[in-house]
Amino acid sequence: MAGNRRPTIKTVAARAGVGRTTVSRVVNGSDLVSADARSRVLAAIKELNYVPNSVARGLVTNRTNAVALVIPESESRLGSEPFFAALIRGVSGALAESRTQLQLMLVRDQAERDQLTESVATRRVDGVLLVSVHADDRLPGILEEMGLPTVLAGRRDAGERLSYVTSDNAGGAAEAIRHLLRGGRTRIATITGPLDMDVGRSRLAGWRDAHREAGVPASELLAETGDFTEEGGARAMRSLLERAPDLDAVFAASDLMAVGALAELRRQKRQVPGDVAVVGFEDSVLARHTNPPLTTVRQPVEELGRTMARILTDITRHGAPRQQLTLPTELVVRESS
């Protein structure tokens, strides 16, 4: 845009081919607009990154007393991973204390991304809690540009600008490996999380750090990339056993992947922990019901959700500054190691 001037309601109207009154009605959520005109106005708002003056005023005065919990995952992923259920419990509990309505939004495709943009542009929520942040996800940047208070579960990288709450992923992973080394394990593989997520990279870094402390050469390290699913854990375990039949321990970067690894070890007649010790990460409800019960790194998922909600409430209601918190983890030793 010429001179990088901030777009106005007049600019949006010209781009959408409508009058300024129509743009105002769309921004203020009026029903007196045709579907076609509304679609064109929202498209223009998105293209121009237009933040209505009413939004800026609303951040100070006109609250909706509603926030969105945005999860860019499928329903099947949401239902299969205990992490999401625990996080939602924490968020909803904290918001109930402040009488704030929670809107759960799954963003799986462009249409749902556009719906989220519309909710932001028309001030239907006071802020956003964003989960499962991948490095190439444009949502955090869009929310930041639109001036909407946002708190992330995790972060994009070490230079994150937005507020976030995360767990000590690297420290927890390192403690898990030290536990295995103390138990006499010498070939400790890992099944990582997705490496386009800080949580995946950080748990991998902790695994490497503990090996480096123990003087294990980098050339002997054995890692397989996973995806935080049970199926992904089983596939990765199969690949690791093909590459290194002599491995005697595996650290899975999530309990769900550890469940998949246990199933594959069972299929290949490997005894746990006799032949191969297994450690997970999260201490979800699954960990207590595997066979054998799973050693894992406990992260306080409900507390993470509560803390995210409280930070967002502090920002939207009291204008609090950005907060970035790392919650401690704890190793829980059970029979799998």
Side-chain angles (χ1 to χ4, degrees), residues 1 7 15 40-50 117:
M1 180 175 294
R15 177 67 62 92
R40 283 186 283 133
V41 169
L42 291 172
I45 287 172
K46 182 180 176 184
E47 286 176 31
L48 297 168
N49 287 326
Y50 170 64
T117 303

Side-chain angles (χ1 to χ4, degrees), residues 49-286:
N49 287 326
Y50 170 64
V51 180
N53 288 337
S54 61
V55 172
R57 289 196 304 270
L59 292 176
V60 180
T61 55
N62 301 322
R63 294 195 305 267
T64 64
N65 288 321
V67 301
L69 175 59
V70 179
I71 304 178
E73 301 286 358
S74 65
E75 296 101 322
S76 60
R77 190 76 175 267
L78 186 67
S80 65
E81 293 194 24
F83 172 86
F84 293 119
L87 186 85
I88 291 169
R89 282 197 302 272
V91 168
S92 61
L95 292 178
E97 295 171 7
S98 61
R99 299 185 180 277
T100 301
Q101 180 184 6
L102 176 63
Q103 298 180 14
L104 178 61
M105 301 182 72
L106 301 186
V107 179
R108 297 155 293 190
D109 54 29
Q110 190 58 47
E112 290 175 341
R113 189 178 298 268
D114 290 343
Q115 182 182 4
L116 172 61
T117 303
E118 179 182 355
S119 291
V120 171
T122 56
R123 289 296 295 130
R124 296 180 191 170
V125 293
D126 293 329
V128 169
L129 303 166
L130 183 57
V131 184
S132 286
V133 182
H134 294 258
D136 61 351
D137 192 343
R138 293 179 57 245
L139 274 177
I142 290 171
L143 295 169
E144 188 175 19
E145 288 170 8
M146 300 188 85
L148 194 75
T150 301
V151 181
L152 309 180
R155 59 187 186 179
R156 287 169 287 183
D157 52 50
E160 181 60 68
R161 299 181 303 275
L162 296 171
S163 294
Y164 68 78
V165 184
T166 190
S167 298
D168 183 8
N169 293 300
E175 185 54 36
I177 305 312
R178 294 186 194 108
H179 162 71
L180 291 167
L181 289 167
R182 287 193 298 267
R185 306 293 170 164
T186 59
R187 196 79 198 276
I188 306 169
T190 187
I191 301 172
T192 78
L195 297 180
D196 66 340
M197 299 180 73
D198 180 77
V199 61
R201 296 190 300 272
S202 294
R203 292 175 189 176
L204 176 62
W207 170 80
R208 285 180 174 146
D209 289 347
H211 278 102
R212 185 168 54 249
E213 289 171 7
V216 178
S219 59
E220 295 182 13
L221 299 184
L222 186 66
E224 191 72 27
T225 303
D227 58 3
F228 287 148
T229 69
E230 183 177 350
E231 296 78 9
R235 282 194 304 271
M237 189 73 251
R238 189 156 52 249
S239 176
L240 287 169
L241 290 170
E242 289 171 359
R243 292 165 56 193
D246 62 332
L247 69 84
D248 60 5
V250 61
F251 166 62
S254 78
D255 286 352
L256 200 55
M257 291 196 300
V259 169
L262 287 168
E264 182 61 25
L265 288 166
R266 235 180 349 261
R267 193 183 71 81
Q268 297 204 25
K269 305 295 191 292
R270 302 290 185 103
Q271 298 297 312
V272 177
D275 299 324
V276 181
V278 179
V279 178
F281 201 113
E282 188 179 329
D283 195 28
S284 65
V285 65
L286 296 173

Side-chain angles (χ1 to χ4, degrees), residues 291-314:
N291 183 22
L294 183 66
T295 294
T296 185
V297 178
R298 176 180 294 153
Q299 63 169 345
V301 181
E302 283 196 43
E303 181 59 29
L304 190 150
R306 282 192 294 271
T307 305
M308 289 175 66
R310 287 170 184 155
I311 288 174
L312 188 59
T313 300
D314 284 346

